[in-house]
PDB file of all heavy atoms in Angstrom:
ATOM      1  N   LEU A  12     -65.203 122.444-101.380  1.00 69.00           N
ATOM      2  CA  LEU A  12     -65.459 122.681 -99.966  1.00 69.00           C
ATOM      3  C   LEU A  12     -64.652 123.867 -99.458  1.00 69.00           C
ATOM      4  O   LEU A  12     -65.131 124.647 -98.661  1.00 69.00           O
ATOM      5  CB  LEU A  12     -65.125 121.436 -99.154  1.00 69.00           C
ATOM      6  CG  LEU A  12     -66.018 120.228 -99.407  1.00 69.00           C
ATOM      7  CD1 LEU A  12     -65.533 119.040 -98.602  1.00 69.00           C
ATOM      8  CD2 LEU A  12     -67.459 120.554 -99.061  1.00 69.00           C
ATOM      9  N   VAL A  13     -63.412 123.986 -99.897  1.00 74.00           N
ATOM     10  CA  VAL A  13     -62.558 125.098 -99.509  1.00 74.00           C
ATOM     11  C   VAL A  13     -62.085 125.781-100.783  1.00 74.00           C
ATOM     12  O   VAL A  13     -61.453 125.166-101.630  1.00 74.00           O
ATOM     13  CB  VAL A  13     -61.346 124.617 -98.683  1.00 74.00           C
ATOM     14  CG1 VAL A  13     -60.452 125.783 -98.337  1.00 74.00           C
ATOM     15  CG2 VAL A  13     -61.813 123.901 -97.431  1.00 74.00           C
ATOM     16  N   ARG A  14     -62.397 127.049-100.903  1.00 73.00           N
ATOM     17  CA  ARG A  14     -62.010 127.793-102.092  1.00 73.00           C
ATOM     18  C   ARG A  14     -60.564 128.248-101.969  1.00 73.00           C
ATOM     19  O   ARG A  14     -60.056 128.465-100.873  1.00 73.00           O
ATOM     20  CB  ARG A  14     -62.924 128.989-102.280  1.00 73.00           C
ATOM     21  CG  ARG A  14     -64.374 128.572-102.474  1.00 73.00           C
ATOM     22  CD  ARG A  14     -65.284 129.740-102.486  1.00 73.00           C
ATOM     23  NE  ARG A  14     -65.190 130.420-101.189  1.00 73.00           N
ATOM     24  CZ  ARG A  14     -65.847 131.533-100.910  1.00 73.00           C
ATOM     25  NH1 ARG A  14     -66.604 132.101-101.807  1.00 73.00           N
ATOM     26  NH2 ARG A  14     -65.740 132.094 -99.728  1.00 73.00           N
ATOM     27  N   ALA A  15     -59.901 128.429-103.074  1.00 74.00           N
ATOM     28  CA  ALA A  15     -58.496 128.840-103.085  1.00 74.00           C
ATOM     29  C   ALA A  15     -58.301 130.184-102.410  1.00 74.00           C
ATOM     30  O   ALA A  15     -57.292 130.415-101.748  1.00 74.00           O
ATOM     31  CB  ALA A  15     -57.973 128.881-104.512  1.00 74.00           C
ATOM     32  N   CYS A  16     -59.272 131.075-102.521  1.00 74.00           N
ATOM     33  CA  CYS A  16     -59.123 132.394-101.899  1.00 74.00           C
ATOM     34  C   CYS A  16     -59.263 132.336-100.378  1.00 74.00           C
ATOM     35  O   CYS A  16     -58.948 133.301 -99.691  1.00 74.00           O
ATOM     36  CB  CYS A  16     -60.114 133.387-102.497  1.00 74.00           C
ATOM     37  SG  CYS A  16     -61.838 132.901-102.312  1.00 74.00           S
ATOM     38  N   ASP A  17     -59.732 131.213 -99.825  1.00 73.00           N
ATOM     39  CA  ASP A  17     -59.828 131.053 -98.373  1.00 73.00           C
ATOM     40  C   ASP A  17     -58.512 130.598 -97.748  1.00 73.00           C
ATOM     41  O   ASP A  17     -58.331 130.702 -96.546  1.00 73.00           O
ATOM     42  CB  ASP A  17     -60.903 130.020 -98.007  1.00 73.00           C
ATOM     43  CG  ASP A  17     -62.309 130.538 -98.258  1.00 73.00           C
ATOM     44  OD1 ASP A  17     -62.532 131.748 -98.082  1.00 73.00           O
ATOM     45  OD2 ASP A  17     -63.183 129.734 -98.622  1.00 73.00           O
ATOM     46  N   LEU A  18     -57.614 130.061 -98.548  1.00 74.00           N
ATOM     47  CA  LEU A  18     -56.362 129.522 -98.029  1.00 74.00           C
ATOM     48  C   LEU A  18     -55.307 130.615 -97.887  1.00 74.00           C
ATOM     49  O   LEU A  18     -55.302 131.572 -98.656  1.00 74.00           O
ATOM     50  CB  LEU A  18     -55.849 128.429 -98.968  1.00 74.00           C
ATOM     51  CG  LEU A  18     -56.777 127.236 -99.151  1.00 74.00           C
ATOM     52  CD1 LEU A  18     -56.220 126.306-100.212  1.00 74.00           C
ATOM     53  CD2 LEU A  18     -56.973 126.510 -97.838  1.00 74.00           C
ATOM     54  N   PRO A  19     -54.381 130.467 -96.913  1.00 74.00           N
ATOM     55  CA  PRO A  19     -53.288 131.444 -96.802  1.00 74.00           C
ATOM     56  C   PRO A  19     -52.457 131.446 -98.077  1.00 74.00           C
ATOM     57  O   PRO A  19     -52.272 130.408 -98.705  1.00 74.00           O
ATOM     58  CB  PRO A  19     -52.460 130.950 -95.628  1.00 74.00           C
ATOM     59  CG  PRO A  19     -53.297 129.952 -94.922  1.00 74.00           C
ATOM     60  CD  PRO A  19     -54.292 129.435 -95.904  1.00 74.00           C
ATOM     61  N   GLY A  20     -51.968 132.596 -98.432  1.00 72.00           N
ATOM     62  CA  GLY A  20     -51.177 132.735 -99.649  1.00 72.00           C
ATOM     63  C   GLY A  20     -49.747 132.261 -99.452  1.00 72.00           C
ATOM     64  O   GLY A  20     -49.394 131.705 -98.417  1.00 72.00           O
ATOM     65  N   PRO A  21     -48.924 132.491-100.431  1.00 83.00           N
ATOM     66  CA  PRO A  21     -47.531 132.052-100.358  1.00 83.00           C
ATOM     67  C   PRO A  21     -46.731 132.893 -99.362  1.00 83.00           C
ATOM     68  O   PRO A  21     -47.153 133.968 -98.964  1.00 83.00           O
ATOM     69  CB  PRO A  21     -47.023 132.293-101.784  1.00 83.00           C
ATOM     70  CG  PRO A  21     -47.898 133.389-102.304  1.00 83.00           C
ATOM     71  CD  PRO A  21     -49.238 133.180-101.673  1.00 83.00           C
ATOM     72  N   TRP A  22     -45.576 132.373 -98.975  1.00 87.00           N
ATOM     73  CA  TRP A  22     -44.669 133.120 -98.097  1.00 87.00           C
ATOM     74  C   TRP A  22     -44.076 134.277 -98.877  1.00 87.00           C
ATOM     75  O   TRP A  22     -43.806 134.163-100.076  1.00 87.00           O
ATOM     76  CB  TRP A  22     -43.557 132.201 -97.599  1.00 87.00           C
ATOM     77  CG  TRP A  22     -44.038 131.205 -96.602  1.00 87.00           C
ATOM     78  CD1 TRP A  22     -44.483 129.943 -96.859  1.00 87.00           C
ATOM     79  CD2 TRP A  22     -44.132 131.373 -95.193  1.00 87.00           C
ATOM     80  NE1 TRP A  22     -44.846 129.325 -95.693  1.00 87.00           N
ATOM     81  CE2 TRP A  22     -44.635 130.176 -94.649  1.00 87.00           C
ATOM     82  CE3 TRP A  22     -43.838 132.424 -94.334  1.00 87.00           C
ATOM     83  CZ2 TRP A  22     -44.847 130.001 -93.286  1.00 87.00           C
ATOM     84  CZ3 TRP A  22     -44.046 132.248 -92.979  1.00 87.00           C
ATOM     85  CH2 TRP A  22     -44.545 131.050 -92.469  1.00 87.00           C
ATOM     86  N   THR A  23     -43.885 135.384 -98.217  1.00 87.00           N
ATOM     87  CA  THR A  23     -43.329 136.578 -98.846  1.00 87.00           C
ATOM     88  C   THR A  23     -42.489 137.334 -97.829  1.00 87.00           C
ATOM     89  O   THR A  23     -42.572 137.055 -96.637  1.00 87.00           O
ATOM     90  CB  THR A  23     -44.460 137.474 -99.410  1.00 87.00           C
ATOM     91  OG1 THR A  23     -43.892 138.531-100.140  1.00 87.00           O
ATOM     92  CG2 THR A  23     -45.349 137.998 -98.317  1.00 87.00           C
ATOM     93  N   ILE A  24     -41.684 138.271 -98.302  1.00 88.00           N
ATOM     94  CA  ILE A  24     -40.950 139.127 -97.367  1.00 88.00           C
ATOM     95  C   ILE A  24     -41.457 140.554 -97.521  1.00 88.00           C
ATOM     96  O   ILE A  24     -41.836 140.978 -98.613  1.00 88.00           O
ATOM     97  CB  ILE A  24     -39.415 139.054 -97.543  1.00 88.00           C
ATOM     98  CG1 ILE A  24     -38.959 139.555 -98.899  1.00 88.00           C
ATOM     99  CG2 ILE A  24     -38.912 137.656 -97.312  1.00 88.00           C
ATOM    100  CD1 ILE A  24     -37.450 139.645 -99.023  1.00 88.00           C
ATOM    101  N   GLY A  25     -41.498 141.275 -96.408  1.00 87.00           N
ATOM    102  CA  GLY A  25     -42.066 142.605 -96.397  1.00 87.00           C
ATOM    103  C   GLY A  25     -41.049 143.727 -96.532  1.00 87.00           C
ATOM    104  O   GLY A  25     -41.354 144.861 -96.242  1.00 87.00           O
ATOM    105  N   THR A  26     -39.840 143.411 -96.940  1.00 91.00           N
ATOM    106  CA  THR A  26     -38.790 144.405 -97.114  1.00 91.00           C
ATOM    107  C   THR A  26     -37.950 144.005 -98.318  1.00 91.00           C
ATOM    108  O   THR A  26     -38.203 142.968 -98.926  1.00 91.00           O
ATOM    109  CB  THR A  26     -37.937 144.519 -95.825  1.00 91.00           C
ATOM    110  OG1 THR A  26     -37.021 145.579 -95.963  1.00 91.00           O
ATOM    111  CG2 THR A  26     -37.239 143.231 -95.506  1.00 91.00           C
ATOM    112  N   SER A  27     -36.952 144.768 -98.663  1.00 95.00           N
ATOM    113  CA  SER A  27     -36.163 144.454 -99.855  1.00 95.00           C
ATOM    114  C   SER A  27     -35.205 143.283 -99.647  1.00 95.00           C
ATOM    115  O   SER A  27     -34.899 142.564-100.582  1.00 95.00           O
ATOM    116  CB  SER A  27     -35.381 145.687-100.318  1.00 95.00           C
ATOM    117  OG  SER A  27     -34.525 146.135 -99.284  1.00 95.00           O
ATOM    118  N   ALA A  28     -34.739 143.075 -98.416  1.00 96.00           N
ATOM    119  CA  ALA A  28     -33.820 141.968 -98.140  1.00 96.00           C
ATOM    120  C   ALA A  28     -33.846 141.633 -96.649  1.00 96.00           C
ATOM    121  O   ALA A  28     -34.109 142.497 -95.816  1.00 96.00           O
ATOM    122  CB  ALA A  28     -32.405 142.340 -98.549  1.00 96.00           C
ATOM    123  N   VAL A  29     -33.582 140.358 -96.337  1.00 95.00           N
ATOM    124  CA  VAL A  29     -33.548 139.872 -94.959  1.00 95.00           C
ATOM    125  C   VAL A  29     -32.307 139.002 -94.804  1.00 95.00           C
ATOM    126  O   VAL A  29     -32.001 138.187 -95.679  1.00 95.00           O
ATOM    127  CB  VAL A  29     -34.804 139.027 -94.643  1.00 95.00           C
ATOM    128  CG1 VAL A  29     -34.753 138.469 -93.240  1.00 95.00           C
ATOM    129  CG2 VAL A  29     -36.065 139.822 -94.849  1.00 95.00           C
ATOM    130  N   LYS A  30     -31.598 139.162 -93.697  1.00 96.00           N
ATOM    131  CA  LYS A  30     -30.425 138.319 -93.444  1.00 96.00           C
ATOM    132  C   LYS A  30     -30.866 136.914 -93.067  1.00 96.00           C
ATOM    133  O   LYS A  30     -31.782 136.726 -92.269  1.00 96.00           O
ATOM    134  CB  LYS A  30     -29.579 138.894 -92.314  1.00 96.00           C
ATOM    135  CG  LYS A  30     -28.838 140.148 -92.701  1.00 96.00           C
ATOM    136  CD  LYS A  30     -27.959 140.624 -91.554  1.00 96.00           C
ATOM    137  CE  LYS A  30     -27.263 141.917 -91.962  1.00 96.00           C
ATOM    138  NZ  LYS A  30     -26.454 142.450 -90.864  1.00 96.00           N
ATOM    139  N   ILE A  31     -30.199 135.932 -93.655  1.00 97.00           N
ATOM    140  CA  ILE A  31     -30.403 134.536 -93.275  1.00 97.00           C
ATOM    141  C   ILE A  31     -29.338 134.230 -92.229  1.00 97.00           C
ATOM    142  O   ILE A  31     -28.148 134.430 -92.474  1.00 97.00           O
ATOM    143  CB  ILE A  31     -30.262 133.594 -94.484  1.00 97.00           C
ATOM    144  CG1 ILE A  31     -31.246 133.986 -95.589  1.00 97.00           C
ATOM    145  CG2 ILE A  31     -30.462 132.147 -94.062  1.00 97.00           C
ATOM    146  CD1 ILE A  31     -31.044 133.234 -96.891  1.00 97.00           C
ATOM    147  N   ARG A  32     -29.778 133.766 -91.061  1.00 97.00           N
ATOM    148  CA  ARG A  32     -28.847 133.568 -89.952  1.00 97.00           C
ATOM    149  C   ARG A  32     -28.647 132.093 -89.622  1.00 97.00           C
ATOM    150  O   ARG A  32     -29.476 131.259 -89.945  1.00 97.00           O
ATOM    151  CB  ARG A  32     -29.340 134.327 -88.729  1.00 97.00           C
ATOM    152  CG  ARG A  32     -29.412 135.826 -88.998  1.00 97.00           C
ATOM    153  CD  ARG A  32     -29.601 136.613 -87.733  1.00 97.00           C
ATOM    154  NE  ARG A  32     -29.572 138.045 -87.976  1.00 97.00           N
ATOM    155  CZ  ARG A  32     -28.481 138.783 -87.951  1.00 97.00           C
ATOM    156  NH1 ARG A  32     -27.320 138.250 -87.690  1.00 97.00           N
ATOM    157  NH2 ARG A  32     -28.550 140.080 -88.185  1.00 97.00           N
ATOM    158  N   LYS A  33     -27.519 131.798 -88.971  1.00 97.00           N
ATOM    159  CA  LYS A  33     -27.154 130.433 -88.618  1.00 97.00           C
ATOM    160  C   LYS A  33     -28.085 129.847 -87.561  1.00 97.00           C
ATOM    161  O   LYS A  33     -28.393 128.662 -87.579  1.00 97.00           O
ATOM    162  CB  LYS A  33     -25.708 130.407 -88.125  1.00 97.00           C
ATOM    163  CG  LYS A  33     -25.149 129.041 -87.926  1.00 97.00           C
ATOM    164  CD  LYS A  33     -23.675 129.113 -87.602  1.00 97.00           C
ATOM    165  CE  LYS A  33     -23.082 127.720 -87.475  1.00 97.00           C
ATOM    166  NZ  LYS A  33     -21.642 127.777 -87.269  1.00 97.00           N
ATOM    167  N   SER A  34     -28.531 130.663 -86.622  1.00 96.00           N
ATOM    168  CA  SER A  34     -29.477 130.223 -85.594  1.00 96.00           C
ATOM    169  C   SER A  34     -30.523 131.321 -85.395  1.00 96.00           C
ATOM    170  O   SER A  34     -30.334 132.451 -85.846  1.00 96.00           O
ATOM    171  CB  SER A  34     -28.740 129.915 -84.287  1.00 96.00           C
ATOM    172  OG  SER A  34     -28.066 131.047 -83.815  1.00 96.00           O
ATOM    173  N   PRO A  35     -31.641 131.012 -84.722  1.00 96.00           N
ATOM    174  CA  PRO A  35     -32.747 131.978 -84.629  1.00 96.00           C
ATOM    175  C   PRO A  35     -32.552 133.080 -83.587  1.00 96.00           C
ATOM    176  O   PRO A  35     -33.353 133.236 -82.671  1.00 96.00           O
ATOM    177  CB  PRO A  35     -33.944 131.089 -84.298  1.00 96.00           C
ATOM    178  CG  PRO A  35     -33.371 129.935 -83.579  1.00 96.00           C
ATOM    179  CD  PRO A  35     -32.020 129.705 -84.199  1.00 96.00           C
ATOM    180  N   THR A  36     -31.480 133.853 -83.730  1.00 95.00           N
ATOM    181  CA  THR A  36     -31.251 135.021 -82.881  1.00 95.00           C
ATOM    182  C   THR A  36     -30.626 136.123 -83.730  1.00 95.00           C
ATOM    183  O   THR A  36     -29.928 135.844 -84.705  1.00 95.00           O
ATOM    184  CB  THR A  36     -30.289 134.728 -81.707  1.00 95.00           C
ATOM    185  OG1 THR A  36     -29.006 134.395 -82.230  1.00 95.00           O
ATOM    186  CG2 THR A  36     -30.801 133.600 -80.833  1.00 95.00           C
TER     187      THR A  36
END
């Protein structure tokens, strides 16, 4: 009923690195 190509893909990052922060600011 739902093909695999219709589903959203995996999470990814669009740069070389991202800081992980203690709170969302």
Side-chain angles (χ1 to χ4, degrees):
L12 293 177
V13 178
R14 299 173 298 177
C16 59
D17 289 326
L18 300 174
W22 288 92
T23 187
I24 63 173
T26 186
S27 59
V29 178
K30 288 183 182 177
I31 303 172
R32 299 193 176 270
K33 189 173 183 175
S34 60
T36 64

